[in-house]
Amino acid sequence: ELGDRPQPRARRALALAATWIAAGHPVKGAYPHSPTREEAAHNLRLLLNQYTRETKQQTRLLNQLDALAHSIWPVLAIKKETWLKAVQHGAITPAELRDLGNRPDLNEIGHYWHGATRNALYRLIDAIPPYVNANPVTAAAIRSLSVQLLTLQNELAATTNEITAALDHPTLNPLADLWMQIPHASPVTIATIIVAVRGQPEAYSREEFKAAVGAHPRTARSSNTTTHSGKKADIAPP
């Protein structure tokens, strides 16, 4: 630790590095510092941390809903996506699902404008025996969790929009636009990579970049052939 004032040897090293840089010679480990870019990357990191927290909370709510759905009838958990669409319209119990499916104006209700979605609802209803009932306490818990889930999903959408807007920062936009050309790239993924390299990928060697974003090689062996490919691990903001 040098403290606030560098020691004599450190001062000489800094002076030598400054002399080399001024003369145009590269100095390993020394890179231009941009406070503006650093601040933009820091703000992006905060948004990603918020996105991660909200995603984890969403997973917890979905797991709780999955358990409650299974307690009513397993097929509700198996076809949870179809069931949750109905839950948003107040159809939680098997009886409420049947009432929803019998509505003459079903094709005018959100989520059910398309025939494929209506057919998925009908198949779900047919898969539940007529004698199956839901405990009122369970139904009330599902209703409460579904409201929380909808609120959280709106917050996630808002956070995603904030991340997309943050990528338009002048110091990050050229890099974000370049990486968004990669097939299947998303603003959240690109933002995560930018944060992992602290907004300055040019300061990293190829191996340092791979380590920063959590990439590691994957080897597949078949007969006499060995194939090496890159695999990107789940990236968490450092």
Side-chain angles (χ1 to χ4, degrees), residues 93-188:
T93 68
E96 291 170 340
L97 288 169
R98 285 189 284 270
D99 290 342
L100 178 63
N102 290 329
R103 287 184 57 167
D105 62 340
L106 182 62
N107 62 342
E108 300 175 7
I109 300 175
H111 292 140
Y112 298 108
W113 296 323
H114 198 282
T117 311
R118 295 195 297 274
N119 290 334
L121 174 63
Y122 298 144
R123 288 193 296 270
L124 175 62
I125 294 171
D126 291 341
I128 304 174
Y131 58 81
V132 174
N133 295 314
N135 185 298
V137 176
T138 300
I142 292 171
R143 197 178 309 277
S144 175
L145 288 173
S146 67
V147 172
Q148 295 178 46
L149 179 62
L150 183 59
T151 301
L152 188 60
Q153 288 174 337
N154 291 334
E155 292 174 356
L156 260 172
T159 302
T160 302
N161 290 336
E162 289 185 60
I163 290 172
T164 302
L167 290 175
D168 280 336
H169 191 279
T171 62
L172 303 179
N173 181 261
L175 187 60
D177 282 351
L178 178 63
W179 283 348
M180 281 299 294
Q181 298 178 29
I182 300 173
H184 309 298
S186 71
V188 172

Side-chain angles (χ1 to χ4, degrees), residues 40-57 155-156 158-167 172 179 186-199 213 235-238:
H42 176 70
N43 292 335
L44 196 58
R45 183 195 305 279
L46 296 178
L47 287 172
L48 283 173
N49 288 340
Q50 179 178 330
Y51 179 88
T52 300
R53 289 193 300 270
E54 292 170 350
T55 301
K56 289 181 178 178
Q57 178 62 19
E155 292 174 356
L156 260 172
T159 302
T160 302
N161 290 336
E162 289 185 60
I163 290 172
T164 302
L167 290 175
L172 303 179
W179 283 348
S186 71
V188 172
T189 301
I190 299 306
T192 306
I193 296 175
I194 290 176
V195 166
V197 296
R198 304 182 184 279
V213 301
I235 303 172

Side-chain angles (χ1 to χ4, degrees), residues 2-25:
L2 300 178
D4 295 333
R5 300 179 60 185
Q7 299 301 312
R9 182 177 299 178
R11 288 200 297 269
R12 288 196 296 271
L14 290 174
L16 180 59
T19 302
W20 287 346
I21 292 172
H25 300 296

